[in-house]
Amino acid sequence: MASLWSSLEKEVFNPQNKKLLEAITVWKTGKKKKMSILCVVVDAFRPMQPFLVKVKVDRGEQYKMAYRWPLAELKLVDGKTLDQVNLDFDLQFDKIYKWTASSFDEKKTFIRCLWKLNHRFLSSAITFVNVHSCSVEGRQGLQEDRRDTVETENQEELSVYQEMTPKEAADVLKLMEEHEPLVNNSIAFAEQLSRDLHVLDEANLRAIISSEKQVTQLMSFIDEALAEVARVEETLQVYDELLGSVKQQMDHIHQENSLLHHITSNKAKLMDEILFLTTHLDLGKEHCEALSCADLSSPSGVEACIAAAEALSACMNIQIQSGYRKLQAVAEQLIMFETLKQNFENRFIGHITNTFERQGSAQIPALTHPMDQLSAPSHRLQHEELVPYTPLMAWLRNANPVLFCDLPKVYAQNLSRLYDKEIKAFFEQAKTLLVGRRKGSLQEGLEKPTGMGSRQQPRWSIPGSREDQEDTLNKGNVIKILEQVLRELRPLCIAEQLFIEKFFQLRQNSAKVLEEEGSTASPEDPACAKPPSQPEEQTAQLLSEIFSSLDPELRCFLDVCNKAHPFSCLQILVTLNDCIFEMWRKTSALPSSFLNTVLGNMLLLAKSSFNKCIGTLCKEIEEAKVPSKMKVGILPSVSRFEEFVNFSEAVFGTAQRRAELDKAHLRLADSVFNSINSLSSANLKVNTDMVMMENFHHVYCFLCQKKIQCLEGKKKEAKQRYSEHMEKYVIRSLGQPLEKLNHFFEGVKARVAQGVKEEEISFQLAYSKQELRKVIERYPGKEVKRALETLYRKIHKYLSPEENLFPVVWHAMEQELLRQYQEFEDLIQRCYVGSGITMEFTMEDLLSYFNSITLSST
């Protein structure tokens, strides 16, 4: 109970400045499951008023005040029984509450507390029924308390055990020592003690009789004191009754003051609420007239409508309690606001829709600039006409989002018609400038075949003729016209995007994003973009509908550019890349801007066309065949590769991105190498190794001149292939003048490789000393010189003079022949020891033969 009491005081009553007097655990009669606590409390400050409080315990063991009754409202307390033990009791306020206590002692204590408070604070205004003990307690309370106190003291005296003090124990011992002989005789000792006691009693009686007068006087003083106490109690009772009436009057005065305070406070609050409603729900007459007339054709009328719409929104958005809406004046005012809003919404939507339709149906103005100068249309006037309505669009978006969502679609549908006509006229002019003065060149370009078999020199040759010069002019014209087109489209698209984002409140920060200069952003791939947000998607959707013809017209224009000459796809790719990079460098436009998205799609299309062109070129190079009547020399595929690299490097010279070109170079180099390697299976009239040597040498020299980083590996490979084929060509060529001698010693080396000892070679029938002498006799010095002269003329005839490889090849043959001669001599010394066989010519003879042939040819 102590813990319950402290918890109630701490959690419930101390925060409210209440003092707990009594608490009892009860439940409604017949409903034991719902436990509650009835508490009797008084205010901790004056004037103190008693209250009866019902406290509930929630699931979290937290106490919560459920209900509170002022004790002055209690009319009746029914204890249900006089003598029997009964836990039920009733409390009557406006209605009767039936309770059941948890124990009889708690019930008795609780009712006694109510009786005391009734007597002290309420002047016995509460009726107590079936609680007889309370009235008895009222009449005999003081006497019972005194009687209980006396009886308690007597019982305590009787129940306490009195031990002998040390002094008393010493006296008894001394007495026993004095009468030690008598102690041994107990009867004599008892008689002696009896005589001594009798003497003492007699002395005491005499003393009492002598003090009788004093006792009588003391008793009289006590009677007088009791009489005085009775008079004081009667006086206090009178004072208490007088103070009780004064207290009731003071409590009544305090209650009246409290009521007056509440009335004043309620009047002030009511006045504040009335002022609040009249101030915030009042729309000026000028605003009502502006909304009713809805003059949207003049600037002053638009400004008045904007101010009136904002004032109307302020009135309608004010937060008022739901009960205020039931007031007739407030309800009528709100209905008037809603009517004004709906009427103004309809008129504004009708006016702005008519403006959209009028702008979309406008005719394209006549060209005021020269025909040779591209200029995209400007919608500055249309935007300036609509900008004053931007605040009203923002108001409509907040006031009625459903109606607002349809306006961007209406704008896009109407303006798309105007943009379609303007964009088509713009690209027609661009196509005309691209075609130039050659009226039929565009149609011819569309009809000309693109295969390598049908056109050989005109497509791949370096410009030199008049047609080639015109083709060179067309190449420069493609870049110039495409750059002009992209340069003119950028302000057109960005201006429209900025306008619709501002006008339709699509993105508040879009202007800052698109107009801040000096951005350091440098994306790795302009075509890539992060996932757009919802406002960006809505903007992109509107712009896609407005510029619905931009994408197909731009694709058609790029197709025309691609057909201007075979390698236009390179120029388109570089121009688009540079344009997107320039946009990123000059502005901080996000990749999600509409123009970047369109150009990104065009860049992907250009990459696809470029890859397709490279694939076709690689296929043509690999499938190209060498004409049988043509002197081979440098293959056409090598010349085509050289022409493409020269042109592409010139186009990509200032490009900021060349990853696609590097991939294309590697693909073409692989195709060229495959084309050269395919000559090994071709049926040529000349030596295949010689042709492959010349072409690999040509490729190597060309790559050394260009110094292209991505082709360094191919350059090394070309050098290796060139060296390999030159070695093969030299060896095969030298096999012709010394053919039998070569065959003989090849056989000797084969026998040694098979495990025949070198000193036993001469005993082989086919490689005997006699056979060796026969072979050597066939190649005297004159015959060797004549064979070398024939070989010199043959090499000089078939080698291409452009490559200037003849001195290199001739020197390589000289070194190879000297090596072979030294090898033959070594084999003779090892395999034919002591035979005395030697060659018909010496190494000095060979050197003289080469020198004489070289000098005679120069």
Side-chain angles (χ1 to χ4, degrees), residues 717-781:
E717 183 181 356
K719 183 179 180 181
Q720 181 183 355
R721 297 284 185 88
Y722 148 69
S723 301
E724 291 175 358
H725 287 290
M726 185 176 69
E727 182 179 355
K728 292 179 181 179
Y729 175 64
V730 169
I731 292 174
R732 291 183 181 180
S733 297
L734 289 178
Q736 296 175 0
L738 304 176
E739 183 177 3
K740 294 187 178 296
L741 192 61
N742 279 325
H743 288 326
F744 182 83
F745 283 106
E746 289 293 334
V748 171
K749 290 190 288 184
R751 292 294 187 274
V752 173
Q754 292 173 3
V756 180
K757 296 181 180 180
E758 292 181 349
E759 57 270 16
E760 295 178 0
I761 291 294
S762 60
F763 298 104
Q764 298 284 331
L765 182 62
Y767 302 102
S768 62
K769 298 177 182 178
Q770 292 78 9
E771 291 297 327
L772 177 59
R773 289 190 180 94
K774 290 180 182 180
V775 174
I776 289 176
E777 289 176 354
R778 290 185 179 183
Y779 294 99

Side-chain angles (χ1 to χ4, degrees), residues 230-245:
R231 288 194 299 272
V232 170
E233 286 183 352
E234 292 176 359
T235 303
L236 291 176
Q237 183 68 25
V238 173
Y239 289 164
D240 186 55
E241 292 176 358
L242 293 175
L243 289 175
S245 62

Side-chain angles (χ1 to χ4, degrees), residues 283-300:
L283 186 64
K285 293 183 179 180
E286 66 278 6
H287 294 326
C288 294
E289 293 178 358
L291 293 175
S292 300
C293 297
D295 181 13
L296 299 171
S297 57
S298 63
S300 59

